[in-house]
Amino acid sequence: QDTLVDIFYIYPTIDMDTAILGNTSMESIDTITAQFVYREQAGIYARFGRVFVPYYRQAKISVFLTKSLADADQLKNAECLEKAYNDIDSAFNHYLKYYNKGRKIILIGHSQGADLERFLLRKRFDNNPYLKSLLVVALSGGEPNYVSTNGSRTGGSLQNIKTCPPKDSIPECGCVMNWRTWSKHSPGGVLNKTSF
């Protein structure tokens, strides 16, 4: 049965090389791990629609672990994320051109994939009424979506796409749902009041 919904999933960081700041080359992508992560994280959604999972030259884990505030290192980090995003953007263009045909879209991203999903939302969906009309929901695990003020559902990361309403409200389509978890003993469990 065709549900007329597609799922575009962006997997998390799987390149655990801490030696250098950089991106995984296309020929070095660990496709076995990428496929395992897809099956574990997004495979369950396949019953709701067709799933598209692009391989991409993701930023290595070292990009996220560097504590250097030197301008050169920060620029390198930004370049690595931009390269990863450009692959996702190209894959999304290919998906729209050859597969979408007006179908509704669910976006899913986790960790680095959630960062890239947010970039995709901001650059492609936030000011595009047609793409916004296709968005069912964007599920973003492991990274917050920043809003302008506490209690606001817009601003910050996205100007027009809202965070999904609280669980006691009327459900909406076309919104972003975020979540983050920490172990019980983690010191990082307190979020900024303007992140959701």
Side-chain angles (χ1 to χ4, degrees), residues 111-173:
S111 191
Q112 179 173 177
D115 282 335
L116 300 176
E117 174 193 29
R118 189 172 57 247
F119 299 160
L120 187 67
L121 284 167
R122 185 170 56 228
K123 293 180 180 194
R124 302 297 300 277
F125 284 78
D126 203 28
N127 291 302
N128 184 321
Y130 175 70
L131 284 180
K132 278 176 48 183
S133 75
L134 297 181
L135 183 65
V136 175
V137 67
L139 304 173
S140 181
E143 295 298 329
N145 176 51
Y146 291 96
V147 293
S148 56
T149 60
N150 192 18
S152 174
R153 292 180 52 212
T154 58
S157 299
L158 303 167
Q159 296 305 307
N160 301 302
I161 297 173
K162 296 179 179 179
T163 57
C164 290
K167 65 179 181 176
D168 299 336
S169 303
I170 297 172
E172 291 179 13
C173 283

Side-chain angles (χ1 to χ4, degrees), residues 3-153:
T3 63
L4 303 179
V5 175
D6 289 339
I7 295 112
F8 192 87
Y9 168 72
I10 309 168
Y11 57 87
T13 307
I14 60 172
D15 188 334
M16 298 300 160
D17 180 1
T18 59
I20 59 168
L21 295 177
N23 294 78
T24 308
S25 65
M26 282 304 246
E27 52 278 352
S28 298
I29 293 172
D30 182 348
T31 57
I32 293 171
T33 300
Q35 290 171 20
F36 172 79
V37 171
Y38 149 68
R39 285 191 304 273
E40 291 295 310
Q41 291 192 346
I44 191 170
Y45 298 107
R47 64 184 175 153
F48 301 114
R50 302 181 306 173
V51 181
F52 295 84
V53 186
Y55 293 123
Y56 65 101
R57 295 171 297 171
Q58 66 176 210
K60 297 172 181 284
I61 193 70
S62 55
V63 170
F64 301 97
L65 298 178
T66 182
K67 302 211 184 305
S68 170
L69 295 177
D71 289 345
D73 289 338
Q74 293 303 313
L75 181 60
K76 178 69 173 172
N77 288 351
E79 289 170 351
C80 291
L81 287 171
E82 184 175 11
K83 183 181 281 190
Y85 173 74
N86 287 340
D87 285 356
I88 295 301
D89 189 66
S90 293
F92 190 72
N93 280 338
H94 183 83
Y95 158 74
L96 285 177
K97 183 175 181 179
Y98 294 104
Y99 297 102
N100 178 263
K101 302 184 185 342
R103 296 166 66 93
K104 297 291 187 179
I105 301 169
I106 296 172
L107 295 176
I108 303 175
H110 176 220
S111 191
Q112 179 173 177
D115 282 335
L116 300 176
E117 174 193 29
R118 189 172 57 247
F119 299 160
L120 187 67
L121 284 167
R122 185 170 56 228
K123 293 180 180 194
R124 302 297 300 277
F125 284 78
D126 203 28
N127 291 302
N128 184 321
Y130 175 70
L131 284 180
K132 278 176 48 183
S133 75
L134 297 181
L135 183 65
V136 175
V137 67
L139 304 173
S140 181
E143 295 298 329
N145 176 51
Y146 291 96
V147 293
S148 56
T149 60
N150 192 18
S152 174
R153 292 180 52 212

